[in-house]
Amino acid sequence: MILYSSTASPFGRKIKLAAHVLGLIDEIDVRPTDTMNSADEIRTINPLGKIPSLVTGGVTLYDSRVIMEYLDSRAGGGRIIPTAGMDRYRCLTAAAKMDGIIDAALLMVYEGRFRLPEMHVDKFVDWQRDKIIRALQSIDPTPYKGNTMPDVADIGLACALDYLDFRKLMSWRDYAPTLAEWKVGFAAVVAGYAETMPVDPREQ
């Protein structure tokens, strides 16, 4: 399997972290990818030019939700995503909320990256920040116990919180302080957590 990603990508990190907990990481060749480079291979692998993208058996899979489903199935199924019933849909809905937090965070980053300072729309940034705050405050603050395998929502939450810290977008602990304890518990026991922490490619 070939994973096209970036060391800074929170969605790419979701895949790498899932691969670690599922015992599949050694089967994946991670290809550093620059989505801003028009000559990068990602634009032929995925016409949207987006990461993460996974090539397996001559087939390209994207986005991260599809790849997570594939990895879970490859590992036997029902390991990070329940197989049926309302447990499955509750888990997928929770994972969608984590993806929404990451989406909002990325939009905040892009507002600063792609607009000239005099063109920044503060109202738009505040709108995204408010989404993140509401979503974080709606999450069950129960400390992570580590007695079961993390599911896709757990993986997404860890990646979301670390990305907020990585980009210094907001002091999320001021709004959802109990999640700090959850993150400490998750980091202490989940395979691949430290190895997949976001890193700016320019600093490597």
Side-chain angles (χ1 to χ4, degrees):
M1 293 183 283
I2 302 172
L3 175 65
Y4 291 83
S5 187
S6 161
T7 54
S9 168
F11 287 118
R13 187 188 181 205
K14 279 175 50 183
I15 305 308
K16 289 179 279 188
L17 194 47
H20 272 281
V21 302
L22 292 169
L24 298 173
I25 193 63
D26 290 339
E27 299 179 31
I28 297 178
D29 172 18
V30 181
R31 298 274 178 91
T33 306
D34 180 0
T35 58
M36 298 302 295
N37 181 357
S38 61
D40 195 288
E41 187 180 9
I42 190 62
R43 299 194 181 194
T44 55
I45 294 299
N46 177 348
L48 298 173
K50 297 180 69 175
I51 55 175
S53 295
L54 183 77
V55 177
T56 177
V59 176
T60 302
L61 304 177
Y62 49 85
D63 58 8
S64 66
R65 288 167 289 193
V66 175
I67 300 172
M68 297 282 267
E69 287 254 18
Y70 172 74
L71 293 180
D72 186 59
S73 175
R74 185 164 177 141
R79 301 190 66 195
I80 59 173
I81 304 173
T83 56
M86 287 307 298
D87 283 347
R88 173 179 175 81
Y89 297 107
R90 274 193 289 265
C91 178
L92 291 175
T93 299
K97 177 160 58 179
M98 309 316 166
D99 284 352
I101 294 170
I102 296 173
D103 280 333
L106 285 168
L107 288 171
M108 291 172 68
V109 170
Y110 295 160
E111 181 70 15
R113 182 178 297 171
F114 295 114
R115 289 187 191 271
L116 296 173
E118 61 271 21
M119 297 179 67
H120 286 185
V121 182
D122 291 338
K123 185 175 181 180
F124 178 79
V125 173
D126 291 343
W127 185 33
Q128 302 307 324
R129 185 181 293 107
D130 286 346
K131 290 182 192 177
I132 294 171
I133 293 170
R134 291 196 307 271
L136 291 177
Q137 290 178 335
S138 74
I139 296 169
D140 181 357
T142 303
Y144 189 80
K145 301 297 185 183
N147 56 349
T148 59
M149 177 171 288
D151 61 26
V152 288
D154 294 324
I155 291 169
L157 176 56
C159 292
L161 295 177
D162 285 329
Y163 188 72
L164 292 172
D165 284 340
F166 173 61
R167 293 302 188 194
K168 299 178 174 59
L169 295 175
M170 58 182 290
S171 299
W172 59 264
R173 293 167 184 81
D174 293 343
Y175 302 98
T178 53
L179 290 180
E181 183 180 356
W182 180 95
K183 191 169 87 75
V184 169
F186 184 94
V189 299
V190 174
Y193 177 84
E195 296 91 328
T196 61
M197 284 290 283
V199 176
D200 191 326
R202 294 169 297 183
E203 298 176 359
Q204 290 184 301

